[in-house]
Amino acid sequence: QQQVKQSPQSLIVQKGGISIINCAYENTAFDYFPWYQQFPGKGPALLIAIRPDVSEKKEGRFTISFNKSAKQFSLHIMDSQPGDSATYFCAALRFSGNQFYFGTGTSLTVIP
Amino acid sequence: DAGITQSPRHKVTETGTPVTLRCHQTENHRYMYWYRQDPGHGLRLIHYSYGVKDTDKGEVSDGYSVSRSKTEDFLLTLESATSSQTSVYFCATRRGETTEAFFGQGTRLTVV
């Protein structure tokens, strides 16, 4: 059973456009929702994260929007650049638990 | 970079042979994880450790075993490799009091 569902599987965006990746979860006990970025041949690295008591978090061009009632959260990449081309994973963690639950990933391609 | 080294980085092995992958960390993190990454499946947890000699199964643990005899080392063993275990394997660590997970560079394993 997939604890975190992610969409779309792939995304192509023009340079300067907005990239939006969505995730949904079922377990209301999750306490922490990170996004990881992975470049080819590398391991994933933390990009940005949010806790459920906050509806939005922004770091530079990257924003997480969190909707607790809908059990959904999304990553918005403003002014997308070719260097943002990567695979993005959303995840969820329960502080009392030991493991992260990852989405299936989104391959983002930003066309110059 | 949390000082995570995976070895080997690439391996080709024959069906039925045992294989051991090593994860070494220099940050004294409490938690260590083994994931496999496959197209369409994202990151799936194989096993994890929450302390020396303390391990637990993840969602895809069949055919795999782990050991952690020292804080810094987490070994993943494929007891009898099968073609379905061809994948990219990632080790990750997490310090107990923080929530960020740090990933290694990955090991590409091919079972022929």
Side-chain angles (χ1 to χ4, degrees), chain B residues 13-19 63 78-85 109 111-112:
Chain B
T13 192
E14 293 186 349
T15 299
T17 60
V19 176
L78 287 65
E79 294 143 8
S80 177
T82 68
S83 58
S84 65
Q85 293 176 312
L109 177 68
V111 183
V112 297

Side-chain angles (χ1 to χ4, degrees), chain A residues 1-2 9 32 34 36 38 41-46 51 87 89 93-95 97-105, chain B residues 9 30-31 33 35 37 39-43 45 48 50 57-59 90 94 99-106:
Chain A
Q1 181 185 358
Q2 191 75 29
Q9 185 173 353
Y32 175 73
Y36 281 80
Q38 183 184 29
K42 304 292 186 182
L46 180 66
R51 298 191 179 185
T87 299
F89 293 97
L93 172 71
R94 190 161 48 96
F95 288 159
N98 294 324
Q99 61 177 290
F100 289 85
Y101 295 92
F102 284 90
T104 50
Chain B
R9 292 292 314 280
R30 176 185 176 191
Y31 295 95
Y33 304 85
Y35 291 91
Q37 182 174 15
H41 292 278
L43 293 160
L45 182 65
Y48 66 95
Y50 46 96
K57 296 179 179 180
E59 63 178 307
F90 285 99
R94 179 167 72 100
T99 49
E100 180 176 358
F102 298 89
F103 284 83
Q105 295 279 65

Side-chain angles (χ1 to χ4, degrees), chain A residues 44-111:
Chain A
L46 180 66
L47 180 64
I48 187 173
I50 197 168
R51 298 191 179 185
D53 54 346
V54 176
S55 61
E56 185 176 281
K57 184 173 182 180
K58 184 176 181 179
E59 291 185 1
R61 297 184 293 107
F62 300 90
T63 300
I64 300 178
S65 296
F66 190 85
N67 186 329
K68 190 173 183 177
S69 61
K71 294 187 287 186
Q72 295 175 347
F73 59 110
S74 59
L75 176 69
H76 296 240
I77 306 174
M78 311 300 288
D79 187 25
S80 298
Q81 299 296 313
D84 297 330
S85 297
T87 299
Y88 293 81
F89 293 97
C90 61
L93 172 71
R94 190 161 48 96
F95 288 159
S96 60
N98 294 324
Q99 61 177 290
F100 289 85
Y101 295 92
F102 284 90
T104 50
T106 297
S107 176
L108 171 65
T109 302
V110 181
I111 300 172

